[in-house]
Amino acid sequence: MGGKNLVVVLLVSVVMAMVPGSTQLQASQTWSLLKIQQMLGYPAVLGHWHNYTDFCYGGDYKTTSAFVECYGDSTFSIDSFFTTLSRLPDLRVLTLTGLGLWGPLPGKVSRLAALEIVNVSSNYLYGELPLALSRLGNLQTFIADDNMLSGELPAWLGRLPVLAVLSLRNNSLEGTLPGSVSDMASLRSLSLASNNLSGNLPDMSGAKNLQVIDLANNSLGPEFPRLGRKVASVVLAGNRFSDGLPPELASFYLLERLDVSRNRFVGPFMPALLSLPSIEYLSVAGNRFTGMLSGNMSCGDNLKFVDVSSNLLTGSLPTCLAAGAVGKAADSDSDSSKTVLFAANCLATGDDTQHPSPFCKNQAIAVGIVPDQARRKPSGARSGLVAGVVAAAIAAAVLAGVAVFLAVRKASMRRAQSRPPRRLVEHASSAYPSKLFADARYISQTVKLGALGIPAYRSFSLVELEAATNDFEVSNMMGQDSHGQMYRGRLSNGTPVTIRSLKVKRSQTSQSFNRHIEMISKLRHRHLVSALGHCFEYNLDDSTVTQLYLVFEYVQNGNLRGRISQGTEGRKLTWVQRISTAIGVAKGIQFLHGGIIPGLFANNLKITNILLDQNLVAKIGSYNIPILSETMKSEGGSGNKYPSDSVPNGDKLDIFDFGVILLEVISGRPITSIYEVEIMKEQLQSALTAEGTAKRRSFVDPAVSKGCSDESVKTVMEICLRCLAKEAVQRPSVEDVLWNLQFAAQVQDDWRGDSRSSEESPLSPSQIPRDLEDDQLRQEQQRQFSGRHYMKQTFCSD
């Protein structure tokens, strides 16, 4: 680094995690921090560090994060820098990004045995990865993107027992991927894009928890890798993979992103990829895929981006893609939220972006996809004889087929008339339980939350929370219960928050809360009031925890009942909005049950605890955090009878509670007791069994009854009745609930398209809520399939 005039944006990040029971840094550790301050040229942001600084009780001193502009020469040695760091053996998180560090990564990093997260991206590190890294037994994340690392990936990577994230993008690594990587049971994300890797990949199906794999822009191939069924994102663009895609890809039901563009694939394109239930992004551009597309092909509900450009496809673009096709106009009521690229094929689009049909056929023959025999035609009398025999055989087969078809159809019609039709859509959820779906969303969910503007989970200082609540002023108190108080606050960056204060009467250190904090940090989902962080308040005499503060997002648009049974005219939700809200609640329940391990059940769900944000997105605001029941036990209370993950039929209890919520959503009448539930359940059953639609319509909230499809209403009523079944085993799974609600939304959407001219339609543009991620309500309806949650506390709202 010496001798270079650099303008460096320096991120200083010092995160200490002390040994249990320790109350202050050792003298050598304090010296090390001051030495780092000296080596960095005494930046102003660290000006408060001196010999008498109390790093453990200095408030914001414990975590310092600032940008410093450094002008002139930087002359410290990377080796001496890590020598100094090695005096901090309890360091768990080390972030040294964009510092301009030059040289091999020192083996002395292994002296930091407690390290869990290492990020040394955007430096000038070169050479091979040091063997010493293999001794970091607690390492969970290693990121060294945008450096000059070289050599082959070492086989010892497979010996890191808890490594979950490995990212070495944009380096100069070469050779093949070692087979030991395929046995890493803890690996969730593998990113090695933009290197010089080559050869076939090992069998990655052994990496059971792998969800994200990004190997773009290498020279890998020619065989497509074997992958586990939990994978959610596969990016293999810009490599040398050839032949066809493996058929098993069509059964990767958790796959959200597939990018195999700019390879050498040949053979038939797999239309089933378009209709995978979770697929959002699909790119097969720049290959030699063949096949005929047709308008009646189906697409998955979540699909947003498709690129089939520069292949050898013929036929017509599927109707479900036509609205998003670049360069084509979409109907005003069609789903134009998709982006579809399809240039340089032989599709019948009527524009000049396509090749003529013979081009694709000739290209297919040239690369050996179409057999040579296809180019030879029979000649003369022999051709005529062959043609005549074939025609006669076909005619006979057709006549026989028609006769059989008519006979079977007649018998089927008789059987169909003898039994009532089944309208309820069944979903085979047993094949893919919610726990499996949740595992694959572990990483992608974090990315989505970031895109939604939900801050990362972190530890807050007491000073921050005092400032946010004006020293916990009484006017900011939202309520209190046996656990403590709840306050409304606003962080320094303007983010409104809800702060839950929990008294801890039994002497405990912060270490004893690790299990709970790990659980709470995972309570983050689009349809939950998400956890943002925590804060400990300590006893100055013995350093035990006296108070625990939990910080959650603040939802300020009222609860669901205020927009249903207690809503005023003009504020009540339309039928489409009600279905969308119900789907959101079901997704929150699904996340609670399977999105975290162990799952949280028996959440005592109530319509007054379903909050709506400014975009009318439903969020479950009350779920049972196990720490609350344990706090009750420590105070002499009874606590919960069961741990949250072992409640008998806990998932079915939540389904029943959801049925009660759905009952109020349908009827528009407030339900305040189990007696009212039983009465309305009987009325619901009577309405469903009655002939005609009049009785069903009379059960539905008059505010929406004229603007909803009868088929949609009936589907929602049927799934509601099943949720309220007396026997728990007869209640549907949350996956069944989601599929039926989605079906009801789709039926309503189709019906709306057929009756757009009706003045009674509740779907005028001014009434459609604008979703946080998309401005199209239809996308919200079609995308509802995700999560679950649990916590016996209520986040009140204005």
Side-chain angles (χ1 to χ4, degrees), residues 279-282 300-306 337-340 448 773-774 779 783:
I279 196 71
E280 297 179 2
Y281 182 105
L282 174 64
D301 292 338
N302 298 320
L303 193 59
K304 299 177 186 176
F305 180 91
V306 178
S337 59
K338 297 184 181 70
T339 298
V340 181
K448 290 177 181 177
E773 292 176 318
D774 303 280
Q779 195 171 47
R783 274 217 319 258

Side-chain angles (χ1 to χ4, degrees), residues 662-775:
L662 204 55
L663 197 58
E664 187 164 331
V665 167
I666 298 169
S667 66
R669 288 173 271 172
I671 301 173
T672 58
S673 68
I674 190 66
Y675 174 73
E676 292 177 344
V677 172
E678 292 301 321
I679 293 177
M680 292 186 65
K681 178 183 173 184
E682 292 179 3
Q683 295 174 353
L684 175 63
Q685 191 163 15
S686 175
L688 281 170
T689 55
E691 294 185 3
T693 63
K695 197 162 186 178
R696 280 200 297 274
R697 293 283 178 176
S698 66
F699 186 85
V700 177
D701 185 353
V704 298
S705 63
K706 294 182 179 180
C708 52
S709 154
D710 182 66
E711 185 72 13
S712 176
V713 168
K714 186 172 184 179
T715 301
V716 176
M717 292 172 71
E718 285 177 330
I719 195 63
C720 176
L721 188 62
R722 290 181 62 200
C723 290
L724 297 173
K726 186 174 182 180
E727 298 296 330
V729 294
Q730 296 177 354
R731 298 169 196 160
S733 67
V734 69
E735 287 79 20
D736 280 338
V737 171
L738 279 167
W739 278 102
N740 280 279
L741 291 176
Q742 277 192 296
F743 175 75
Q746 186 61 57
V747 169
Q748 173 68 22
D749 191 58
D750 294 341
W751 176 84
R752 174 168 60 100
D754 293 338
S755 57
R756 291 175 59 204
S757 60
S758 172
E759 295 181 0
E760 301 296 339
S761 174
L763 293 168
S764 60
S766 62
Q767 291 176 294
I768 299 178
R770 301 183 66 84
D771 187 76
L772 188 58
E773 292 176 318
D774 303 280
D775 292 338

Side-chain angles (χ1 to χ4, degrees), residues 77-86 94 102-113 115 118 120 125-137 139 142 149 156:
S77 161
I78 184 175
D79 190 66
S80 62
F81 188 73
F82 274 86
T83 299
T84 303
L85 283 177
S86 66
L94 178 62
W102 183 282
L105 185 63
K108 294 177 183 178
V109 68
S110 64
R111 298 180 186 178
L112 303 171
L115 275 180
V118 175
V120 291
L125 301 177
Y126 59 80
E128 299 182 354
L129 294 174
L131 176 62
L133 280 175
S134 65
R135 294 195 284 273
L136 296 178
L139 190 62
F142 182 74
L149 298 173
W156 51 255

Side-chain angles (χ1 to χ4, degrees), residues 572-582 616 763 767-769 777 781:
K572 285 192 174 185
L573 298 183
T574 65
W575 179 248
V576 170
Q577 292 169 338
R578 296 185 190 204
I579 298 178
S580 179
T581 301
L616 300 183
L763 293 168
Q767 291 176 294
I768 299 178
L777 180 60
Q781 297 166 0

